[in-house]
Each structure stands twice: as structure tokens, then as C-alpha cells.
Amino acid sequence: MINEKIKKLVFDVLLNKKLTVDDFEYILTNYNEDDFEFIKSSASKIAIAIFGKRIYFRGIIEFSNICKNDCLYCGIRRSNSNCERYRLTKDEILECCEDGYNFGYRTFVLQSGEDGYFSDEVMVDVVKTIRDKYNECAITLSIGERSKESYKKLFDAGANRFLLRHEAANKELYEKIHPSFQKYENRFRCLNDLKEIGYQVGAGMMIGVPYQTNRNIAEDLYFIQEFKPHMVGIGPFIPHKDTPYKEEKAGSIELSLLCLSLVRLMLPNVLLPSTTALGSLEGNGRQEGVLHGCNVVMPNLSPMSVRKKYLLYDNKAGVDLDAKASIDTLRKQMEEIGYEVVVNRGDYKEITKLKGD
């Protein structure tokens, strides 16, 4: 039986009414199986009404696993002496883009640790070259915290989007899962700077990271509601054997899916990836993500020689598949649930009416 209070809160969201942190916490703490299915169905209907049964592919190029940061949950944290470090050259990055373009990608996601080698000068050159060669493609960066001036230079060079998970809206939790030199205030300064410059901005968090409570997740959902990012990345925490959290249990797939559905209801036109982490914990996890309202999947374009070196967590899905096999597998998975992979940039757009209105 559906919880009437949760049903009312869902309808409030659909009517563009803002929920409080208490409201989100109530849903997370009190939902039952019927509520879960109701929220899933509502989110799926919204996504289909806006995007149809279409999924956008983004090609990820993991170009460096060298990182100055020391996030306690991350497998490429600087304190991990067992991590075999690498850094792709500009030519290697461009080869990945060429492969991706030939496979039909129209969005490239350049992701790395916070590697000091990739200064503004180096990154601007890489972005400009990609922009000149693939002018119709979107360029997404996921390279961490930088100055506003740096973000502006990269935007002017041709970058369109920037992914920077906020990780924890609760300051106390943020400080528990990061070393003291990584400042909560700076992470949110970066997000605001990116939005002000004009990027399509992605935020997000892990579900089930150590010390996290339902109240913390509710605070994350409230932040997402207020900040209104163009993209939101949510997936379960998965431990890595060479981090302080190696003995911790993984986060909940179910709670991750519930949060994805709630984000779709809050932000109907958001670009919402069904994350690799979902597929890493459960074989059909990425399919489930789509059925809960996701509309983006991000296969890997990185060279096979470095796939197993960019492990933020253990048992990452897809590291044994080359770019072509990865695409074919994901395309088949999407087709199995009745969805079509489309070849276009899939930009964020302000949508005021649903299809059929």
C-alpha cells in the first residue's frame, strides 16, 4: 500500500513545489516497496515524456590517474602507493576522440585526477584542438577544483560542460571523508563559479559512503533541488582495497535508484547518467537506472592499456572491454529494455512542456 504522505510529497514535486530536508528524509526513511515502484514509475513517465525512450552516450576518456588529492574513498588518492600511475599524451587523447567520433559519439568526457601537469596552458591546448577538429561535438571536463580564471579559459577554449560532484552537502560529513586540506567551501565555490561562467554543470554524490545518514542524503537532495545542476551523477559507494574504507560495505543499489528517480521528478529535464557504479554492483544496474529515469550512459573510450589503472573503486564494470565492445554491450542492454541509443550531443535544454501536452 502506498504511503499517502509520500504520495502527496511526490505530487508536490510534480507541481514544482519545493520539499524541505525533512520531507526528503521522510521519504528515504519510510518508503516501502509500493512507494518505491510508484516513484520509479512516475520518474520513468517524466523521462519518456521529455526525451522519449532515447539514451545519450558520452564517451569517457580517463587521461590521467595522477592526483594531488587524498579523498579517503578513492582508489587513485595520492596516498595509494599500489596505484600504477599513468598520463596520456595529447596525441593519445586525440586518438580516443577519433575512435569515439567514428563510433558515433558526439560528446567527449575528459576525466582525470587533479594532475598538476595539466596546467591551463596544456588543457587549453587540448580543448582547443578537440574543438577545432570536432566542432559539432560537446566537450565535457571532469578535472576537479580549479580557479575561476582557469575554468573561464577552458570555457573560452571550447569546453561546454563540467562535472564536479559536490560529494556531501553536509559540511561535517564532507570533512570526515576528505583530508583537512580539501575544503568544503572551495568545492561549492567551484560549482558556483562554473555555473556563473556558463557551463552546463554536473553535481552529485555517492550513496552509502561511510558516516552518511539518510539525513545527509536528504541534505544532498535539497542542495540539488536548490542549485539546479544541469547534470546529476549518483551511484552507490563501492570500497577500494587500497583505501581506509576497504572493509566498509558497498552502498545500496535500491537507495541509489530511489534518489535518481527523485532527482528526475525534481528536475524533469536534467541529464541523468546511469552510472558505471550501478553496473559494477549489479549486472543489470545500468538498465535499472534507465528504468528509474536516467537518460545518459557513459561508455569508456580510454586505451585498453590504462583501463585497469583508473579504478576509483574495486570491480569496475567494463575494464576488460575495448571501446567498440563496450558500446555494443551497452547498446544491446538498452535495446533489451526497449530504449534506443541516439547519436547527438544531447544538450541540456529548458523544457516547459512535456510531449503530448
Side-chain angles (χ1 to χ4, degrees):
M1 183 177 294
I2 293 176
N3 180 316
E4 288 301 318
K5 181 174 179 179
I6 289 179
K7 185 176 182 179
K8 180 186 182 302
L9 290 172
V10 169
F11 283 135
D12 283 348
V13 173
L14 293 172
L15 292 170
N16 294 320
K17 294 181 180 178
K18 291 185 177 182
L19 301 192
T20 65
V21 174
D22 288 343
D23 291 333
F24 285 120
E25 185 179 19
Y26 182 86
I27 295 172
L28 297 171
T29 304
N30 294 285
Y31 77 92
N32 60 36
E33 186 176 342
D34 290 337
D35 301 323
F36 182 81
E37 290 301 320
F38 171 63
I39 293 170
K40 170 187 175 181
S41 174
S42 301
S44 178
K45 287 175 182 175
I46 290 289
I48 292 170
I50 293 175
F51 302 102
K53 288 194 168 185
R54 299 183 300 172
I55 302 299
Y56 303 114
F57 269 11
R58 302 352 189 161
I60 296 183
I61 303 166
E62 296 161 338
F63 63 92
S64 172
N65 70 349
I66 298 168
C67 191
K68 69 180 183 182
N69 287 337
D70 218 14
C71 307
L72 275 67
Y73 48 80
C74 184
I76 65 170
R77 63 195 303 259
R78 74 179 190 190
S79 292
N80 181 8
S81 58
N82 294 324
C83 180
E84 185 181 348
R85 306 293 175 173
Y86 74 89
R87 179 186 291 141
L88 298 186
T89 65
K90 176 184 173 182
D91 286 343
E92 287 172 324
I93 295 171
L94 292 173
E95 286 173 14
C96 295
C97 291
E98 183 174 2
D99 286 343
Y101 188 85
N102 291 335
F103 291 142
Y105 289 98
R106 294 301 178 265
T107 294
F108 304 124
V109 181
L110 273 59
Q111 184 172 31
S112 73
E114 294 197 23
D115 181 351
Y117 170 81
F118 288 97
S119 63
D120 291 348
E121 182 180 3
V122 173
M123 280 305 303
V124 163
D125 179 49
V126 171
V127 170
K128 272 188 173 179
T129 304
I130 295 172
R131 171 58 59 227
D132 290 343
K133 190 167 184 180
Y134 305 104
N135 189 50
E136 76 272 35
C137 295
I139 301 173
T140 302
L141 301 178
S142 181
I143 55 177
E145 297 177 358
R146 301 170 83 98
S147 68
K148 186 174 184 179
E149 293 73 22
S150 175
Y151 289 146
K152 183 67 165 60
K153 288 177 183 177
L154 295 168
F155 183 80
D156 291 342
N160 311 98
R161 306 171 184 156
F162 204 105
L163 308 180
L164 184 66
R165 288 192 180 191
H166 68 277
E167 303 296 2
N170 179 279
K171 187 172 187 288
E172 182 180 352
L173 175 60
Y174 190 94
E175 291 175 347
K176 281 182 178 178
I177 62 177
H178 297 92
S180 60
F181 69 86
Q182 291 176 236
K183 300 299 183 184
Y184 170 90
E185 292 80 6
N186 195 52
R187 177 58 56 104
F188 288 84
R189 186 273 305 166
C190 289
L191 285 166
N192 287 315
D193 285 349
L194 289 162
K195 207 171 188 187
E196 187 176 312
I197 289 166
Y199 283 95
Q200 294 178 36
V201 181
M205 69 286 189
M206 294 175 289
I207 302 298
V209 70
Y211 310 110
Q212 186 186 63
T213 65
N214 280 350
R215 182 75 177 182
N216 296 147
I217 300 172
E219 290 167 322
D220 289 322
L221 292 171
Y222 183 81
F223 165 73
I224 289 167
Q225 173 186 258
E226 298 301 299
F227 184 67
K228 294 181 174 60
H230 309 94
M231 301 165 281
V232 177
I234 296 176
F237 162 74
I238 304 176
H240 188 287
K241 61 182 175 58
D242 295 319
T243 70
Y245 295 156
K246 61 184 177 182
E247 302 295 336
E248 301 290 339
K249 68 177 183 178
S252 164
I253 287 271
E254 180 175 294
L255 196 54
S256 300
L257 293 171
L258 178 66
C259 289
L260 287 166
S261 292
L262 289 171
V263 169
R264 173 59 67 202
L265 297 178
M266 282 192 291
L267 306 173
N269 47 337
V270 74
L271 298 168
L272 195 61
S274 187
T275 59
T276 304
L278 286 171
S280 298
L281 273 189
E282 195 169 289
N284 66 341
R286 278 189 280 207
Q287 291 163 301
E288 282 298 314
V290 170
L291 295 173
H292 281 78
C294 293
N295 66 327
V296 172
V297 178
M298 304 172 75
N300 202 321
L301 288 176
S302 306
M304 289 299 294
S305 60
V306 303
R307 290 282 183 93
K308 294 182 180 180
K309 299 176 184 178
Y310 198 93
L311 295 180
L312 308 185
Y313 49 83
D314 287 339
N315 303 312
K316 180 179 176 182
V319 294
D320 294 317
L321 299 176
D322 64 23
K324 178 66 164 60
S326 179
I327 295 165
D328 290 344
T329 297
L330 289 170
R331 192 184 301 276
K332 183 179 178 183
Q333 287 179 343
M334 296 302 106
E335 290 172 351
E336 285 174 354
I337 57 173
Y339 282 74
E340 170 196 8
V341 175
V342 293
V343 179
N344 63 46
R345 287 168 46 134
D347 285 305
Y348 175 91
K349 296 176 182 176
E350 292 291 347
I351 297 171
T352 55
K353 285 192 175 183
L354 306 185
K355 290 181 178 179
D357 280 1

